[in-house]
Amino acid sequence: MRASKRAGFRRSTVTSQHQEEIHISGAEGIYEESDIAKIVKEYTFRSLNHSKGKPDKIVITIERLAQKPKRLPLLSVNTLNCNSPYEAKSIVFHELTGIGISNKAINEAFKILKSDKVMRGASLVLSESGIRKEPDKQRGVRVSRLGIDKSDKKRLSARLSALGINMTTVKEALMLASKIAACPDIVAEICISDDPDYTTGYMASKQFGYLRIPNIKNNSEVHGGRVFFLKEGANIENIVNYLEKQPVILYQET
Ligand code: WAQ
Ligand code: MG
């Protein structure tokens, strides 16, 4: 699902369709056929009741999977102690340089995450040089085709309930991060919600799992996004294909 609204009249030259639209909300999943009607209703409700405003357009695409999904484990979840965006930045630098990502690449990531031009997808940044590699710099790469079986979703809900964070936002972000972290050419991810009322972000990697960062932005700020740090020589086409097309079912390890 993606919901958007037209931007107000701008004097600057508008060169592409993407620039004319403000992204409001997006969501994706893998579901049983018998659940389609319910999910369409949920996604529609979500896009019509979003903190970023009313959409002018909601697009829901439903496709039959042609490929058998890969099964991948969900990452571990931890919440860091963090009281301000300033503190968040130093935590992120400490953790990400610790797994070999350069200051240059992390600075580039923060530039993207703080920009008021919010992307619908993620930016791909090389871990050493900090060069951006996503084919469409306005849209970014949208990770899709991921889901969870009902029994695993229940187990995940129980795990998150015990931590006091059993919310759809956390579940969806954890599932997304787990698919992303499993890509061998992705070293780590950092995410800040573009929702003005959601101030907890996260970083994730195979090494340290899913680390939640409270107060990564101030309330009512509308910037946000996702950046994936790639191994320097990675094949971009393969990564984009995995992220966009490879069906993945996440499971909760016992
Ligand atoms: N693929 C790639 N990028 C995405 C996707 C996707 N499927 N979904 C969202 N993004 C990018 C896009 O640039 C959005 O503007 C940005 O991420 C933020 O998306 O444990 O709600 O859906 O409490 O607003 C983190 C939860 C919530 C932390 C993140 O992101 C926690 C969130 P949002
Ligand atoms: Mg959002």
Side-chain angles (χ1 to χ4, degrees):
M1 174 277 288
R2 62 190 165 94
S4 59
K5 65 179 171 193
R6 284 182 301 274
F9 177 76
R10 283 200 210 155
R11 255 185 231 179
S12 59
T13 47
V14 173
T15 51
S16 81
Q17 206 192 348
H18 299 302
Q19 275 180 313
E20 295 173 42
E21 289 189 343
I22 295 173
H23 172 69
I24 292 186
S25 168
E28 42 275 305
I30 296 176
Y31 300 100
E32 300 287 344
E33 184 178 339
S34 55
D35 288 328
I36 290 176
K38 189 181 113 215
I39 296 302
V40 168
K41 199 171 165 187
E42 268 176 37
Y43 281 179
T44 309
F45 180 87
R46 188 194 297 201
S47 45
L48 288 173
N49 296 281
H50 200 276
S51 58
K52 290 188 81 177
K54 279 275 178 221
D56 301 319
K57 186 164 103 177
I58 303 167
V59 179
I60 296 178
T61 308
I62 304 167
E63 289 170 299
R64 185 196 298 278
L65 284 186
Q67 222 178 327
K68 193 169 179 270
K70 207 180 201 150
R71 287 180 63 81
L72 293 172
L74 288 161
L75 294 171
S76 63
V77 178
N78 282 290
T79 302
L80 302 174
N81 191 356
C82 175
N83 294 303
S84 70
Y86 180 78
E87 201 183 328
K89 207 165 171 176
S90 92
I91 292 171
V92 167
F93 268 89
H94 179 81
E95 207 68 43
L96 295 185
T97 52
I99 58 167
I101 299 172
S102 72
N103 284 326
K104 200 171 172 193
I106 302 168
N107 277 320
E108 181 64 30
F110 273 105
K111 219 166 77 190
I112 296 160
L113 297 173
K114 299 244 157 153
S115 162
D116 54 10
K117 290 196 205 92
V118 174
M119 298 159 76
R120 186 151 74 76
S123 175
L124 308 178
V125 171
L126 297 179
S127 295
E128 274 169 52
S129 60
I131 294 170
R132 280 178 76 168
K133 283 291 187 181
E134 68 277 15
D136 181 336
K137 305 259 179 320
Q138 271 157 28
R139 176 185 181 274
V141 178
R142 188 87 195 173
V143 184
S144 193
R145 303 195 184 171
L146 65 160
I148 187 165
D149 288 342
K150 282 175 183 157
S151 57
D152 283 282
K153 194 170 179 182
K154 269 197 190 140
R155 284 219 297 260
L156 171 61
S157 291
R159 171 158 76 112
L160 295 178
S161 285
L163 301 169
I165 49 170
N166 186 26
M167 299 168 284
T168 304
T169 308
V170 178
K171 261 186 279 212
E172 287 186 350
L174 175 64
M175 286 169 57
L176 204 65
S178 301
K179 175 176 178 181
I180 294 157
C183 178
D185 278 329
I186 298 180
V187 184
E189 173 195 359
I190 176 166
C191 165
I192 300 179
S193 175
D194 62 329
D195 302 6
D197 55 358
Y198 205 89
T199 57
T200 301
Y202 70 86
M203 54 188 162
S205 80
K206 291 177 264 301
Q207 281 101 320
F208 52 67
Y210 180 88
L211 297 181
R212 305 177 67 238
I213 312 171
N215 304 305
I216 197 165
K217 76 172 188 181
N218 292 313
N219 209 11
S220 81
E221 290 178 341
V222 292
H223 63 81
R226 277 180 163 88
V227 174
F228 307 158
F229 296 97
L230 312 184
K231 285 189 183 159
E232 196 65 26
N235 180 316
I236 306 302
E237 210 183 307
N238 287 353
I239 295 175
V240 172
N241 187 58
Y242 167 79
L243 295 171
E244 290 182 343
K245 302 277 160 63
Q246 169 70 52
V248 165
I249 297 289
L250 284 314
Y251 64 89
Q252 174 58 57
E253 282 176 309
T254 41

